[in-house]
Amino acid sequence: MRTVSDDDLADVLGTRETTTLEFKSTAKREGKRGDAIGNAVCAMANDLGGAGGGDILIGVDDAGLPVDGVDVSDRALLALTDLRDDGRILDRPSFTVREARFRGKPVVHIHVEASAVLPVRFEGVVWVRPGPTTRKASREDERVLSERRRAKDGPFDTREVPRADLGDLDLDLFQRSYLPSLVDPEVIEENGRPVILQLSSLHLATPDGAPTVLGLLAVGMDPSSEVPGAYTQFVRYNGVDLDAPIADDQELRQNLIGTAARLEPLLRSNLRTRVVGEGFREVQQPDYPIEALREICMNALMHRNYETSYAPTRIVWFDDRIEVTNPGGPYGQVRDDNFDRVTDYRNPSLAAALKGLGYVNRFGRGIGRVRAALERNGNPPAEFQVDDSSWAVTIRRAE
């Protein structure tokens, strides 16, 4: 990883724009659509030239001269850092934001690492930097990026599934629902890319049409036929322990879109409501907030270990509580003592897919949203159990 010291960046990075260095006078949005900073971060993450990433300096004009009045406050730096988590850049890139000096004046320095999960999109568009300008990727650019991702053998969710072929993917579902959710409509219309290239650019298949793990999970006809743990088990007990009679037992073996379509009505059908309040202010209160249940289940599907565990994601509903368990303990920077503050992704492309499809609101906010929803509804705080091989959460009924 390249690092930049506290030296003047003009001496370190140069004073002319290149494939790895871009100047911006301001961080404000430019033009009627898009975001110049977001486009630039996306382009540096795609690293078309293979330089290992790139740098963006805010507060420098096109001639390489610093401008006055650059906002380098903590609020401004945090607003730029928020690009990493707000879900507009998929897959989520790695970059840092800091105050620095350029020709003796303060600037904002964004250093972007090259992504291992290519291509990266900003608001549904792939941006690259073939020279000293940032441009929309061509079909050939996207092919190059997809080939590079395959050569790197990146995260498990983008790896080829050897026994699968295009017949294992629901191509109608892909073109009708998945593609419009992840790719800007103008890009779809103007480029006329063949379906294999569309699948490859979204990490659902290799450039020669072999489905990836993500392809099967997202739009597969039967994901669990090739990824054995890729299903959800729902069990409803009439009681408070495993000896109680089973009222419902279902296995959800559809792709992400199909699982979500079945899961929400299934959860809602098991909710019970009561009237709370006094006089004219009576309201219906469910025993569990549906937004907390949705967040817990979608996060379980996003973070679970699909590579080495054949166990399903399990949702077990008792009369007094709900337990959701998942194979796969802390990953990357996450530990059992910081999981509620630090986010990392075992399945980065799956996380991007869930965000693009609207099943995840923002990255890194799931546990906070669960806690807030439970508190508003009058439920006790969620109870988390995290160890090396599994993750579990228990939420208890509102009284």
Side-chain angles (χ1 to χ4, degrees):
M1 172 180 173
R2 181 167 48 138
T3 60
V4 177
S5 70
D6 290 331
D7 296 335
D8 193 295
L9 292 184
D11 299 326
V12 178
L13 300 176
T15 58
R16 297 178 60 185
E17 290 188 300
T18 66
T19 56
T20 60
L21 178 61
E22 181 160 358
F23 299 148
K24 290 295 177 186
S25 297
T26 176
K28 294 181 180 178
R29 294 170 71 92
E30 300 175 2
K32 67 179 181 179
R33 61 172 300 176
D35 181 314
I37 304 301
N39 297 346
V41 170
C42 176
M44 296 300 184
N46 279 319
D47 189 32
L48 185 64
D55 299 277
I56 304 158
L57 302 185
I58 301 173
V60 182
D61 65 20
D62 291 342
L65 299 174
V67 301
D68 295 324
V70 179
D71 188 354
V72 293
S73 65
D74 287 347
R75 176 178 292 184
L77 300 183
L78 287 171
L80 289 166
T81 304
D82 196 50
L83 270 172
R84 186 174 53 191
D85 299 321
D86 68 9
R88 290 186 293 162
I89 305 181
L90 301 173
D91 290 5
R92 184 174 178 262
S94 175
F95 63 88
T96 57
V97 181
R98 70 181 186 105
E99 179 185 354
R101 310 293 290 183
F102 184 86
R103 288 185 164 176
K105 291 192 174 183
V107 297
V108 177
H109 175 209
I110 304 175
H111 177 68
V112 185
E113 297 290 338
S115 176
V117 189
L118 301 168
V120 177
R121 283 181 164 75
F122 179 72
E123 295 184 336
V125 179
V126 178
W127 296 90
V128 293
R129 199 166 172 83
T133 58
T134 295
R135 300 178 180 177
K136 288 184 179 180
S138 66
R139 289 175 60 172
E140 183 64 14
D141 293 335
E142 290 197 24
R143 185 194 65 78
V144 169
L145 294 175
S146 295
E147 289 281 6
R148 186 180 299 165
R149 180 194 77 231
R150 184 183 186 185
K152 288 183 177 180
D153 192 29
F156 178 73
D157 60 351
T158 63
R159 295 181 192 172
E160 176 183 342
V161 179
R163 297 176 300 278
D165 57 38
L166 285 181
D168 293 308
L169 303 182
D170 188 338
L171 298 182
D172 178 65
L173 177 67
F174 167 70
Q175 295 183 307
R176 171 172 41 86
S177 182
Y178 192 93
L179 183 64
S181 298
L182 274 291
V183 179
D184 183 281
E186 289 186 6
V187 173
I188 298 174
E189 182 177 354
E190 70 189 22
N191 289 322
R193 289 169 168 81
V195 67
I196 289 180
L197 182 55
Q198 290 175 332
L199 290 165
S200 177
S201 70
L202 290 168
H203 314 155
L204 304 179
T206 64
D208 55 6
T212 62
V213 173
L214 176 65
L216 292 172
L217 295 177
V219 294
M221 295 290 192
D222 180 8
S224 63
S225 65
E226 299 294 343
V227 187
Y231 69 100
T232 301
Q233 183 179 34
F234 175 90
V235 183
R236 176 71 163 94
Y237 287 93
N238 282 335
V240 297
D241 56 41
L242 297 176
D243 292 329
I246 295 176
D248 193 7
D249 187 354
Q250 299 188 35
E251 289 185 355
L252 283 61
R253 292 184 177 268
Q254 292 86 357
N255 52 51
L256 286 177
I257 297 173
T259 295
R262 282 189 60 190
L263 189 56
E264 179 146 357
L266 178 60
L267 296 174
R268 286 187 181 277
S269 69
N270 282 276
L271 289 176
R272 302 293 180 264
T273 60
R274 60 174 180 152
V275 176
V276 297
E278 297 180 359
F280 293 106
R281 297 183 61 84
E282 292 181 345
V283 296
Q284 295 284 329
Q285 181 192 45
D287 45 5
Y288 302 97
I290 188 64
E291 57 266 38
L293 293 176
R294 184 190 303 115
E295 195 77 37
I296 290 170
C297 292
M298 289 298 105
N299 273 275
L301 295 178
M302 175 167 49
H303 291 293
R304 65 152 292 157
N305 175 9
Y306 291 95
E307 183 174 8
T308 61
S309 174
Y310 294 168
T313 296
R314 301 188 76 237
I315 305 168
V316 183
W317 196 308
F318 297 98
D319 284 351
D320 63 342
R321 68 193 187 281
I322 301 171
E323 298 176 355
V324 179
T325 58
N326 214 35
Y331 178 82
Q333 302 178 68
V334 180
R335 305 185 306 271
D336 58 3
D337 61 346
N338 70 2
F339 69 91
D340 58 343
R341 304 185 307 278
V342 175
T343 303
D344 209 335
Y345 293 91
R346 176 180 279 108
N347 308 302
S349 292
L350 178 59
L354 288 167
K355 176 64 181 69
L357 290 166
Y359 300 135
V360 173
N361 181 268
R362 285 177 61 90
F363 293 130
R365 302 290 180 88
I367 292 177
R369 287 167 60 87
V370 168
R371 285 172 169 163
L374 291 172
E375 183 176 2
R376 286 194 302 268
N377 196 63
N379 297 79
E383 303 164 17
F384 295 93
Q385 292 182 310
V386 181
D387 59 36
D388 290 342
S389 61
S390 66
W391 173 94
V393 59
T394 298
I395 59 174
R396 299 188 181 277
R397 189 180 63 194
E399 298 296 341

